[in-house]
Amino acid sequence: MRSTVGLVCLGEAGNFGDDLILIAGVSAIASAQDDVKVRYLSFGKPVDWSTISTRLRIPLDPTPIRPGRDLPGSRRNEMSFQGCGAVLFGGGGLLQTSHHPHTPYQWLSFLPRHLPAAPVLAAGLGLGPLSADWRRRLRERGLPFDECYLRDADSVAFAEQQLGWRVKRCRDFVDPAFLAHLGVRARSGRPGRPRSLGVALRRWPGLGVTDTARHIGRVAEAHGVDTVCLFVLEAGAGGPDVTFTEEVCRQLGPRDATVLPYVGVDLLDFADAMAECSVAISMKLHSSALWAAMDVPIYPISYAPKTASFFGQPFDGLKIYDQILEPAVDEDWVPRAAEVVSGWLRRALSGQVPVTRAVLTDGDKLRLQTSRTVVNVYRKLGRSLSAR
């Protein structure tokens, strides 16, 4: 009988880093066992699985699942992966409350709750920031996964000290080995190629358009680049990162500069364009990961613990670095996320992983569904009033 594995992640939502995680997760599942089926969450902006399969030399044909409305009393989310032999959760920053007070519930709601419940592995996952309410809830309920591997030391410390979880470390899904397997290779420095400055920004409180443009200009002058390419990794439908990046680009004056928003079906072309850069200014975690894998010198802009941790720096708020920083190097004992997934799935699909994780009670689920619905209604109403 053909095994099915579910994948809970922010896939096909117009985010370059999350789509790389999706692809890495699907390929790790496929490498664990022959003839395995994959079901994954999709948010409607598909990647080109045929071209990606050709690059990876793995026949990938995963089945997308479109999330529905999780109204009070609904079981739609938890039934999405009911019947799967195992579920992979992550990586990325799924458990955080930066953008919505109930983001952790949004993702945990997809984990099957009723017998026969599949074992769940969290891998390549980052934690936080989490509100006091969610820290208390996750601490009291216990670990919602049967095994948990976090992608950085700060997340591990947070899980152990703030949540009381027993967790392990692994590397991020988007690492040099994965990018090499995907065929993304450095292209700068080849004869006849212009020198280019790659920039990856996001709109963030305290980051001004004028100061950012001046910083880009100083770096461009210091390195004598011919062109500047501003990559928008989370483009959506003309979202805030797009408008912010376009505003910055307009302030670069007569300099040869272009804005390149990410589109899922063009993921490989987008990655290849980033690999052509000679030097980079990087604010996004996975732009830093790609440029680091290409040995591109990086001037970081840090806005969160995860971006500071990537460069081995303490996080003390938004910071624009005016010097090149080397990425932190994982110690040899820290396994790759793909290796963790492959090994765990072989055990899980052969029935060797008992289900011991904490699950939401019916009462908790209904309260969270109701609270989340209320927040969403108020936010929608606020947007509607502000648009008038």
Side-chain angles (χ1 to χ4, degrees):
M1 182 176 178
R2 193 175 185 186
S3 299
T4 301
V5 176
L7 175 55
V8 178
C9 66
L10 183 60
E12 299 184 332
N15 184 301
F16 177 64
D18 287 315
D19 281 347
L20 288 175
I21 290 172
L22 166 66
I23 295 164
V26 170
S27 62
I29 293 169
S31 68
Q33 179 175 306
D34 294 335
D35 199 31
V36 66
K37 293 177 63 177
V38 181
R39 299 169 67 187
Y40 69 97
L41 293 180
S42 170
F43 292 83
K45 297 174 182 174
V47 299
D48 184 351
W49 285 108
S50 176
T51 304
I52 289 165
S53 295
T54 300
R55 280 275 192 110
L56 292 173
R57 299 179 183 177
I58 303 174
L60 301 177
D61 188 24
T63 302
I65 296 174
R66 291 294 301 273
R69 298 178 69 187
D70 185 46
L71 297 175
S74 171
R75 294 185 60 199
R76 177 168 179 167
N77 283 7
E78 68 184 79
M79 295 303 294
S80 298
F81 300 107
Q82 190 71 31
C84 288
V87 175
L88 172 61
F89 188 95
L94 304 184
L95 299 188
Q96 49 83 16
T97 52
S98 298
H99 306 297
H100 193 288
H102 292 312
T103 296
Y105 166 72
Q106 174 188 349
W107 300 108
L108 295 174
S109 68
F110 288 101
L111 302 184
R113 295 193 305 138
H114 300 287
L115 295 175
V120 176
L121 168 69
L125 188 66
L127 291 186
L130 284 168
S131 65
D133 181 57
W134 268 101
R135 290 199 300 271
R136 175 190 56 78
R137 182 178 285 112
L138 293 171
R139 182 172 58 250
E140 291 177 354
R141 282 293 168 197
L143 186 66
F145 318 111
D146 297 294
E147 202 161 338
C148 182
Y149 285 79
L150 303 179
R151 68 185 179 191
D152 59 84
D154 289 341
S155 291
V156 171
F158 183 89
E160 294 176 343
Q161 297 168 15
Q162 299 289 324
L163 307 180
W165 290 359
R166 296 184 64 182
V167 300
K168 302 174 185 178
R169 272 281 317 273
C170 76
R171 305 183 189 198
D172 191 273
F173 274 102
V174 184
D175 63 5
F178 166 69
L179 292 168
H181 192 198
L182 195 58
V184 181
R185 295 181 174 82
R187 290 168 169 78
S188 64
R190 296 181 182 179
R193 286 189 178 272
R195 289 182 55 78
S196 64
L197 168 62
V199 181
L201 304 171
R202 69 172 301 170
R203 184 184 293 276
W204 196 257
L207 186 67
V209 170
T210 300
D211 287 344
T212 304
R214 287 173 178 168
H215 177 60
I216 292 171
R218 287 192 295 268
V219 173
E221 290 294 334
H223 290 268
V225 300
D226 303 298
T227 62
V228 177
C229 188
L230 298 98
F231 298 91
V232 187
L233 274 65
E234 191 172 0
D241 291 355
V242 176
T243 56
F244 177 74
T245 302
E246 289 174 342
E247 291 169 4
V248 171
C249 186
R250 285 194 289 271
Q251 294 220 13
L252 294 178
R255 193 178 303 278
D256 184 2
T258 57
V259 176
L260 183 60
Y262 171 67
V263 179
V265 293
D266 298 326
L267 180 145
L268 293 174
D269 290 339
F270 190 86
D272 288 342
M274 291 182 68
E276 292 183 356
C277 296
S278 313
V279 62
I281 296 172
S282 182
M283 190 172 178
K284 301 282 284 183
L285 179 63
H286 289 108
S287 59
S288 296
L290 186 146
W291 279 320
M294 303 298 109
D295 291 325
V296 174
I298 303 172
Y299 291 79
I301 300 177
S302 178
Y303 72 95
K306 63 181 180 181
T307 53
S309 178
F310 185 87
F311 293 95
Q313 300 296 312
F315 177 66
D316 53 2
L318 177 68
K319 184 172 183 179
I320 299 176
Y321 288 89
D322 58 5
Q323 75 268 19
I324 293 168
L325 293 185
E326 294 291 331
V329 178
D330 283 311
E331 297 181 58
D332 291 341
W333 61 266
V334 180
R336 297 185 61 230
E339 294 168 351
V340 168
V341 171
S342 298
W344 184 88
L345 277 179
R346 293 188 187 100
R347 293 187 288 114
L349 295 177
S350 60
Q352 299 178 46
V353 177
V355 177
T356 59
R357 58 189 166 89
V359 298
L360 292 171
T361 66
D362 290 342
D364 282 342
K365 182 178 175 66
L366 182 59
R367 282 190 291 272
L368 287 165
Q369 285 177 321
T370 303
S371 179
R372 184 168 179 261
T373 300
V374 170
V375 171
N376 290 342
V377 168
Y378 272 99
R379 287 190 172 191
K380 186 175 182 179
L381 179 62
R383 288 194 296 270
S384 176
L385 292 174
S386 65
R388 291 182 179 181

Short mmCIF file of all heavy atoms in Angstrom, two decimals, residues 203-261:
data_model
loop_
_atom_site.label_atom_id
_atom_site.label_comp_id
_atom_site.label_asym_id
_atom_site.label_seq_id
_atom_site.Cartn_x
_atom_site.Cartn_y
_atom_site.Cartn_z
N ARG A 203 9.53 45.82 4.22
CA ARG A 203 9.06 46.98 4.96
C ARG A 203 9.06 46.63 6.44
O ARG A 203 8.56 45.57 6.84
CB ARG A 203 7.65 47.37 4.51
CG ARG A 203 7.13 48.64 5.21
CD ARG A 203 5.70 48.94 4.81
NE ARG A 203 5.60 49.30 3.40
CZ ARG A 203 5.81 50.51 2.92
NH1 ARG A 203 6.16 51.48 3.75
NH2 ARG A 203 5.68 50.76 1.63
N TRP A 204 9.62 47.50 7.26
CA TRP A 204 9.71 47.23 8.69
C TRP A 204 9.70 48.54 9.46
O TRP A 204 10.32 49.52 9.02
CB TRP A 204 10.99 46.45 9.00
CG TRP A 204 10.97 45.81 10.37
CD1 TRP A 204 11.61 46.23 11.50
CD2 TRP A 204 10.24 44.64 10.72
NE1 TRP A 204 11.32 45.38 12.54
CE2 TRP A 204 10.48 44.39 12.10
CE3 TRP A 204 9.40 43.77 10.03
CZ2 TRP A 204 9.92 43.31 12.77
CZ3 TRP A 204 8.84 42.69 10.70
CH2 TRP A 204 9.10 42.48 12.05
N PRO A 205 9.00 48.59 10.59
CA PRO A 205 8.97 49.82 11.38
C PRO A 205 10.38 50.30 11.73
O PRO A 205 11.20 49.54 12.22
CB PRO A 205 8.20 49.41 12.65
CG PRO A 205 7.34 48.27 12.22
CD PRO A 205 8.15 47.53 11.19
N GLY A 206 10.65 51.57 11.45
CA GLY A 206 11.96 52.15 11.75
C GLY A 206 12.92 52.14 10.58
O GLY A 206 13.96 52.81 10.64
N LEU A 207 12.61 51.39 9.54
CA LEU A 207 13.48 51.35 8.35
C LEU A 207 12.97 52.36 7.35
O LEU A 207 11.92 52.16 6.71
CB LEU A 207 13.50 49.95 7.74
CG LEU A 207 14.49 49.76 6.58
CD1 LEU A 207 15.94 49.86 7.08
CD2 LEU A 207 14.27 48.40 5.90
N GLY A 208 13.70 53.46 7.19
CA GLY A 208 13.26 54.54 6.32
C GLY A 208 13.72 54.35 4.89
O GLY A 208 14.78 53.77 4.61
N VAL A 209 12.92 54.86 3.96
CA VAL A 209 13.23 54.76 2.54
C VAL A 209 14.53 55.50 2.21
O VAL A 209 15.42 54.96 1.54
CB VAL A 209 12.06 55.31 1.70
CG1 VAL A 209 12.47 55.45 0.23
CG2 VAL A 209 10.84 54.41 1.83
N THR A 210 14.65 56.74 2.68
CA THR A 210 15.82 57.56 2.33
C THR A 210 17.10 56.98 2.90
O THR A 210 18.12 56.86 2.18
CB THR A 210 15.62 58.99 2.85
OG1 THR A 210 14.44 59.55 2.25
CG2 THR A 210 16.81 59.86 2.49
N ASP A 211 17.10 56.59 4.17
CA ASP A 211 18.31 56.02 4.78
C ASP A 211 18.70 54.71 4.10
O ASP A 211 19.89 54.45 3.90
CB ASP A 211 18.08 55.77 6.27
CG ASP A 211 18.05 57.06 7.08
OD1 ASP A 211 18.50 58.09 6.55
OD2 ASP A 211 17.56 57.03 8.23
N THR A 212 17.71 53.92 3.72
CA THR A 212 18.00 52.65 3.04
C THR A 212 18.62 52.89 1.67
O THR A 212 19.61 52.25 1.29
CB THR A 212 16.72 51.81 2.90
OG1 THR A 212 16.13 51.61 4.19
CG2 THR A 212 17.02 50.46 2.27
N ALA A 213 18.08 53.85 0.93
CA ALA A 213 18.62 54.16 -0.39
C ALA A 213 20.04 54.69 -0.29
O ALA A 213 20.91 54.34 -1.11
CB ALA A 213 17.72 55.18 -1.09
N ARG A 214 20.31 55.52 0.72
CA ARG A 214 21.67 56.04 0.89
C ARG A 214 22.65 54.92 1.21
O ARG A 214 23.78 54.90 0.73
CB ARG A 214 21.68 57.07 2.01
CG ARG A 214 21.03 58.41 1.61
CD ARG A 214 20.91 59.34 2.81
NE ARG A 214 20.34 60.63 2.42
CZ ARG A 214 19.91 61.54 3.28
NH1 ARG A 214 20.01 61.30 4.60
NH2 ARG A 214 19.39 62.66 2.86
N HIS A 215 22.20 53.97 2.04
CA HIS A 215 23.06 52.82 2.38
C HIS A 215 23.37 52.01 1.12
O HIS A 215 24.53 51.61 0.90
CB HIS A 215 22.35 51.95 3.42
CG HIS A 215 23.10 50.71 3.79
ND1 HIS A 215 24.37 50.73 4.34
CD2 HIS A 215 22.76 49.38 3.68
CE1 HIS A 215 24.77 49.49 4.57
NE2 HIS A 215 23.82 48.66 4.17
N ILE A 216 22.37 51.77 0.29
CA ILE A 216 22.59 51.03 -0.96
C ILE A 216 23.58 51.79 -1.84
O ILE A 216 24.50 51.18 -2.43
CB ILE A 216 21.26 50.83 -1.70
CG1 ILE A 216 20.35 49.88 -0.90
CG2 ILE A 216 21.49 50.27 -3.11
CD1 ILE A 216 18.93 49.78 -1.44
N GLY A 217 23.42 53.10 -1.92
CA GLY A 217 24.34 53.90 -2.74
C GLY A 217 25.77 53.81 -2.25
O GLY A 217 26.71 53.69 -3.06
N ARG A 218 25.97 53.85 -0.92
CA ARG A 218 27.33 53.77 -0.38
C ARG A 218 27.96 52.41 -0.70
O ARG A 218 29.14 52.34 -1.08
CB ARG A 218 27.31 54.01 1.14
CG ARG A 218 27.06 55.46 1.53
CD ARG A 218 27.33 55.69 3.01
NE ARG A 218 26.39 54.95 3.85
CZ ARG A 218 25.24 55.45 4.31
NH1 ARG A 218 24.87 56.67 3.97
NH2 ARG A 218 24.47 54.72 5.10
N VAL A 219 27.21 51.33 -0.54
CA VAL A 219 27.74 50.00 -0.82
C VAL A 219 28.04 49.85 -2.31
O VAL A 219 29.09 49.30 -2.71
CB VAL A 219 26.77 48.90 -0.35
CG1 VAL A 219 27.24 47.52 -0.79
CG2 VAL A 219 26.60 48.95 1.17
N ALA A 220 27.15 50.38 -3.15
CA ALA A 220 27.37 50.30 -4.61
C ALA A 220 28.65 51.04 -5.00
O ALA A 220 29.45 50.55 -5.83
CB ALA A 220 26.16 50.88 -5.34
N GLU A 221 28.86 52.22 -4.41
CA GLU A 221 30.07 52.98 -4.72
C GLU A 221 31.32 52.25 -4.22
O GLU A 221 32.34 52.19 -4.91
CB GLU A 221 29.98 54.37 -4.06
CG GLU A 221 28.95 55.29 -4.69
CD GLU A 221 29.31 55.68 -6.11
OE1 GLU A 221 30.51 55.67 -6.45
OE2 GLU A 221 28.38 55.99 -6.88
N ALA A 222 31.24 51.71 -3.02
CA ALA A 222 32.40 51.03 -2.44
C ALA A 222 32.85 49.84 -3.27
O ALA A 222 34.05 49.51 -3.31
CB ALA A 222 32.08 50.60 -1.01
N HIS A 223 31.91 49.18 -3.93
CA HIS A 223 32.25 47.97 -4.68
C HIS A 223 32.26 48.19 -6.19
O HIS A 223 32.51 47.24 -6.94
CB HIS A 223 31.28 46.84 -4.31
CG HIS A 223 31.48 46.33 -2.90
ND1 HIS A 223 32.32 45.27 -2.61
CD2 HIS A 223 30.98 46.75 -1.72
CE1 HIS A 223 32.31 45.06 -1.29
NE2 HIS A 223 31.51 45.95 -0.73
N GLY A 224 32.02 49.39 -6.63
CA GLY A 224 32.11 49.69 -8.05
C GLY A 224 31.21 48.84 -8.92
O GLY A 224 31.62 48.39 -10.00
N VAL A 225 29.96 48.64 -8.49
CA VAL A 225 29.06 47.77 -9.25
C VAL A 225 28.49 48.52 -10.45
O VAL A 225 28.42 49.75 -10.48
CB VAL A 225 27.92 47.25 -8.36
CG1 VAL A 225 28.47 46.43 -7.20
CG2 VAL A 225 27.04 48.37 -7.85
N ASP A 226 28.08 47.73 -11.45
CA ASP A 226 27.49 48.30 -12.65
C ASP A 226 25.97 48.45 -12.53
O ASP A 226 25.38 49.36 -13.12
CB ASP A 226 27.81 47.42 -13.86
CG ASP A 226 29.31 47.24 -14.05
OD1 ASP A 226 29.99 48.24 -14.28
OD2 ASP A 226 29.79 46.09 -13.95
N THR A 227 25.35 47.52 -11.81
CA THR A 227 23.90 47.51 -11.70
C THR A 227 23.49 47.17 -10.27
O THR A 227 24.26 46.56 -9.51
CB THR A 227 23.25 46.48 -12.64
OG1 THR A 227 23.71 45.17 -12.29
CG2 THR A 227 23.61 46.76 -14.09
N VAL A 228 22.26 47.55 -9.93
CA VAL A 228 21.65 47.18 -8.65
C VAL A 228 20.34 46.46 -8.96
O VAL A 228 19.51 46.99 -9.72
CB VAL A 228 21.36 48.41 -7.76
CG1 VAL A 228 20.67 47.99 -6.47
CG2 VAL A 228 22.65 49.18 -7.46
N CYS A 229 20.16 45.28 -8.39
CA CYS A 229 18.91 44.54 -8.57
C CYS A 229 18.28 44.34 -7.20
O CYS A 229 18.89 43.73 -6.31
CB CYS A 229 19.15 43.20 -9.25
SG CYS A 229 17.59 42.37 -9.70
N LEU A 230 17.06 44.86 -7.03
CA LEU A 230 16.36 44.75 -5.77
C LEU A 230 15.34 43.61 -5.86
O LEU A 230 14.35 43.72 -6.61
CB LEU A 230 15.66 46.07 -5.42
CG LEU A 230 16.61 47.27 -5.22
CD1 LEU A 230 16.68 48.11 -6.50
CD2 LEU A 230 16.15 48.14 -4.06
N PHE A 231 15.60 42.54 -5.15
CA PHE A 231 14.76 41.35 -5.19
C PHE A 231 13.69 41.44 -4.09
O PHE A 231 14.02 41.67 -2.93
CB PHE A 231 15.60 40.09 -4.98
CG PHE A 231 16.64 39.87 -6.03
CD1 PHE A 231 17.93 40.38 -5.89
CD2 PHE A 231 16.35 39.13 -7.18
CE1 PHE A 231 18.89 40.18 -6.86
CE2 PHE A 231 17.30 38.92 -8.16
CZ PHE A 231 18.58 39.44 -8.00
N VAL A 232 12.44 41.24 -4.46
CA VAL A 232 11.35 41.22 -3.47
C VAL A 232 10.95 39.77 -3.26
O VAL A 232 10.31 39.15 -4.11
CB VAL A 232 10.14 42.05 -3.93
CG1 VAL A 232 9.11 42.14 -2.82
CG2 VAL A 232 10.58 43.44 -4.37
N LEU A 233 11.34 39.21 -2.13
CA LEU A 233 11.15 37.78 -1.89
C LEU A 233 9.73 37.43 -1.50
O LEU A 233 9.30 36.29 -1.63
CB LEU A 233 12.12 37.27 -0.81
CG LEU A 233 13.51 36.86 -1.30
CD1 LEU A 233 14.28 38.04 -1.85
CD2 LEU A 233 14.29 36.18 -0.18
N GLU A 234 9.00 38.41 -0.94
CA GLU A 234 7.60 38.19 -0.57
C GLU A 234 6.76 39.20 -1.32
O GLU A 234 6.40 40.25 -0.80
CB GLU A 234 7.42 38.32 0.95
CG GLU A 234 6.07 37.85 1.44
CD GLU A 234 5.99 37.81 2.96
OE1 GLU A 234 6.99 38.15 3.63
OE2 GLU A 234 4.93 37.44 3.48
N ALA A 235 6.44 38.85 -2.57
CA ALA A 235 5.84 39.84 -3.45
C ALA A 235 4.32 39.89 -3.31
O ALA A 235 3.73 40.96 -3.30
CB ALA A 235 6.22 39.55 -4.90
N GLY A 236 3.68 38.72 -3.20
CA GLY A 236 2.22 38.71 -3.12
C GLY A 236 1.62 39.43 -4.32
O GLY A 236 2.14 39.38 -5.42
N ALA A 237 0.51 40.11 -4.09
CA ALA A 237 -0.13 40.88 -5.15
C ALA A 237 0.18 42.36 -4.93
O ALA A 237 -0.67 43.14 -4.50
CB ALA A 237 -1.63 40.63 -5.15
N GLY A 238 1.43 42.73 -5.22
CA GLY A 238 1.83 44.12 -4.99
C GLY A 238 1.78 44.49 -3.53
O GLY A 238 1.29 45.55 -3.15
N GLY A 239 2.31 43.61 -2.67
CA GLY A 239 2.25 43.79 -1.23
C GLY A 239 3.15 44.89 -0.72
O GLY A 239 3.81 45.60 -1.49
N PRO A 240 3.21 45.06 0.61
CA PRO A 240 3.97 46.18 1.21
C PRO A 240 5.45 46.13 0.91
O PRO A 240 6.09 47.18 0.80
CB PRO A 240 3.69 46.03 2.70
CG PRO A 240 3.23 44.61 2.89
CD PRO A 240 2.53 44.25 1.64
N ASP A 241 6.04 44.92 0.79
CA ASP A 241 7.47 44.84 0.48
C ASP A 241 7.75 45.35 -0.94
O ASP A 241 8.81 45.92 -1.20
CB ASP A 241 7.97 43.41 0.63
CG ASP A 241 8.00 42.95 2.08
OD1 ASP A 241 7.72 43.77 2.97
OD2 ASP A 241 8.29 41.76 2.32
N VAL A 242 6.79 45.12 -1.85
CA VAL A 242 6.95 45.60 -3.23
C VAL A 242 6.95 47.12 -3.26
O VAL A 242 7.84 47.75 -3.84
CB VAL A 242 5.84 45.04 -4.14
CG1 VAL A 242 5.96 45.63 -5.55
CG2 VAL A 242 5.89 43.53 -4.21
N THR A 243 5.95 47.73 -2.63
CA THR A 243 5.85 49.19 -2.67
C THR A 243 7.04 49.84 -1.96
O THR A 243 7.57 50.86 -2.43
CB THR A 243 4.53 49.67 -2.04
OG1 THR A 243 4.42 49.15 -0.71
CG2 THR A 243 3.35 49.18 -2.85
N PHE A 244 7.47 49.27 -0.84
CA PHE A 244 8.62 49.83 -0.13
C PHE A 244 9.87 49.75 -1.00
O PHE A 244 10.64 50.72 -1.11
CB PHE A 244 8.84 49.07 1.18
CG PHE A 244 10.06 49.51 1.95
CD1 PHE A 244 10.06 50.71 2.64
CD2 PHE A 244 11.21 48.73 1.97
CE1 PHE A 244 11.19 51.13 3.35
CE2 PHE A 244 12.34 49.13 2.66
CZ PHE A 244 12.32 50.34 3.35
N THR A 245 10.09 48.59 -1.63
CA THR A 245 11.29 48.41 -2.46
C THR A 245 11.26 49.35 -3.66
O THR A 245 12.30 49.91 -4.06
CB THR A 245 11.40 46.94 -2.92
OG1 THR A 245 11.44 46.09 -1.76
CG2 THR A 245 12.66 46.72 -3.75
N GLU A 246 10.09 49.55 -4.25
CA GLU A 246 9.97 50.47 -5.38
C GLU A 246 10.26 51.91 -4.94
O GLU A 246 10.90 52.67 -5.69
CB GLU A 246 8.57 50.36 -5.99
CG GLU A 246 8.36 49.06 -6.75
CD GLU A 246 6.93 48.89 -7.25
OE1 GLU A 246 6.03 49.59 -6.73
OE2 GLU A 246 6.72 48.05 -8.15
N GLU A 247 9.82 52.28 -3.75
CA GLU A 247 10.12 53.62 -3.23
C GLU A 247 11.63 53.81 -3.04
O GLU A 247 12.18 54.86 -3.36
CB GLU A 247 9.38 53.84 -1.91
CG GLU A 247 7.87 53.96 -2.06
CD GLU A 247 7.15 53.91 -0.71
OE1 GLU A 247 7.85 53.85 0.33
OE2 GLU A 247 5.91 53.92 -0.71
N VAL A 248 12.29 52.78 -2.52
CA VAL A 248 13.73 52.85 -2.35
C VAL A 248 14.42 52.96 -3.70
O VAL A 248 15.34 53.77 -3.88
CB VAL A 248 14.24 51.60 -1.59
CG1 VAL A 248 15.78 51.55 -1.61
CG2 VAL A 248 13.74 51.60 -0.15
N CYS A 249 13.97 52.18 -4.65
CA CYS A 249 14.59 52.18 -5.98
C CYS A 249 14.50 53.56 -6.63
O CYS A 249 15.46 54.04 -7.25
CB CYS A 249 13.90 51.14 -6.87
SG CYS A 249 14.68 50.92 -8.48
N ARG A 250 13.36 54.23 -6.46
CA ARG A 250 13.20 55.56 -7.05
C ARG A 250 14.17 56.57 -6.47
O ARG A 250 14.56 57.53 -7.14
CB ARG A 250 11.75 56.04 -6.88
CG ARG A 250 10.77 55.37 -7.81
CD ARG A 250 9.44 56.11 -7.84
NE ARG A 250 8.70 55.94 -6.61
CZ ARG A 250 7.84 54.95 -6.37
NH1 ARG A 250 7.61 54.04 -7.32
NH2 ARG A 250 7.20 54.87 -5.23
N GLN A 251 14.60 56.36 -5.23
CA GLN A 251 15.53 57.29 -4.59
C GLN A 251 16.99 57.00 -4.93
O GLN A 251 17.88 57.72 -4.46
CB GLN A 251 15.33 57.27 -3.07
CG GLN A 251 13.98 57.80 -2.64
CD GLN A 251 14.07 58.65 -1.39
OE1 GLN A 251 15.15 59.06 -0.95
NE2 GLN A 251 12.92 58.96 -0.81
N LEU A 252 17.24 55.97 -5.72
CA LEU A 252 18.62 55.67 -6.13
C LEU A 252 19.09 56.55 -7.28
O LEU A 252 20.23 56.42 -7.73
CB LEU A 252 18.74 54.18 -6.51
CG LEU A 252 18.54 53.18 -5.36
CD1 LEU A 252 18.65 51.76 -5.87
CD2 LEU A 252 19.55 53.42 -4.24
N GLY A 253 18.19 57.40 -7.78
CA GLY A 253 18.57 58.38 -8.79
C GLY A 253 18.89 57.75 -10.13
O GLY A 253 18.24 56.78 -10.55
N PRO A 254 19.93 58.26 -10.82
CA PRO A 254 20.23 57.79 -12.17
C PRO A 254 20.91 56.41 -12.20
O PRO A 254 21.19 55.89 -13.28
CB PRO A 254 21.17 58.87 -12.70
CG PRO A 254 21.86 59.38 -11.47
CD PRO A 254 20.83 59.34 -10.38
N ARG A 255 21.18 55.84 -11.06
CA ARG A 255 21.86 54.55 -11.01
C ARG A 255 21.04 53.48 -11.75
O ARG A 255 19.80 53.47 -11.69
CB ARG A 255 22.08 54.14 -9.56
CG ARG A 255 23.05 52.96 -9.39
CD ARG A 255 23.24 52.65 -7.91
NE ARG A 255 23.71 53.81 -7.17
CZ ARG A 255 24.97 54.19 -7.12
NH1 ARG A 255 25.89 53.51 -7.77
NH2 ARG A 255 25.31 55.26 -6.42
N ASP A 256 21.70 52.56 -12.44
CA ASP A 256 21.03 51.46 -13.15
C ASP A 256 20.48 50.48 -12.12
O ASP A 256 21.22 49.66 -11.57
CB ASP A 256 22.02 50.77 -14.09
CG ASP A 256 21.35 49.69 -14.94
OD1 ASP A 256 20.13 49.52 -14.83
OD2 ASP A 256 22.07 48.99 -15.69
N ALA A 257 19.18 50.58 -11.82
CA ALA A 257 18.58 49.75 -10.78
C ALA A 257 17.24 49.22 -11.25
O ALA A 257 16.47 49.92 -11.92
CB ALA A 257 18.41 50.55 -9.49
N THR A 258 16.94 47.98 -10.89
CA THR A 258 15.67 47.35 -11.25
C THR A 258 15.09 46.64 -10.03
O THR A 258 15.83 46.22 -9.14
CB THR A 258 15.84 46.32 -12.39
OG1 THR A 258 16.81 45.33 -11.98
CG2 THR A 258 16.31 46.98 -13.66
N VAL A 259 13.77 46.51 -10.02
CA VAL A 259 13.06 45.78 -8.97
C VAL A 259 12.54 44.48 -9.58
O VAL A 259 11.86 44.51 -10.62
CB VAL A 259 11.90 46.60 -8.38
CG1 VAL A 259 11.11 45.78 -7.36
CG2 VAL A 259 12.43 47.88 -7.73
N LEU A 260 12.84 43.36 -8.93
CA LEU A 260 12.41 42.05 -9.43
C LEU A 260 11.56 41.36 -8.36
O LEU A 260 12.08 40.78 -7.42
CB LEU A 260 13.62 41.18 -9.78
CG LEU A 260 13.32 39.80 -10.40
CD1 LEU A 260 12.54 39.96 -11.70
CD2 LEU A 260 14.61 39.03 -10.65
N PRO A 261 10.22 41.42 -8.51
CA PRO A 261 9.35 40.73 -7.55
C PRO A 261 9.32 39.23 -7.83
O PRO A 261 9.37 38.79 -8.98
CB PRO A 261 7.98 41.36 -7.79
CG PRO A 261 8.22 42.56 -8.65
CD PRO A 261 9.46 42.25 -9.43
#
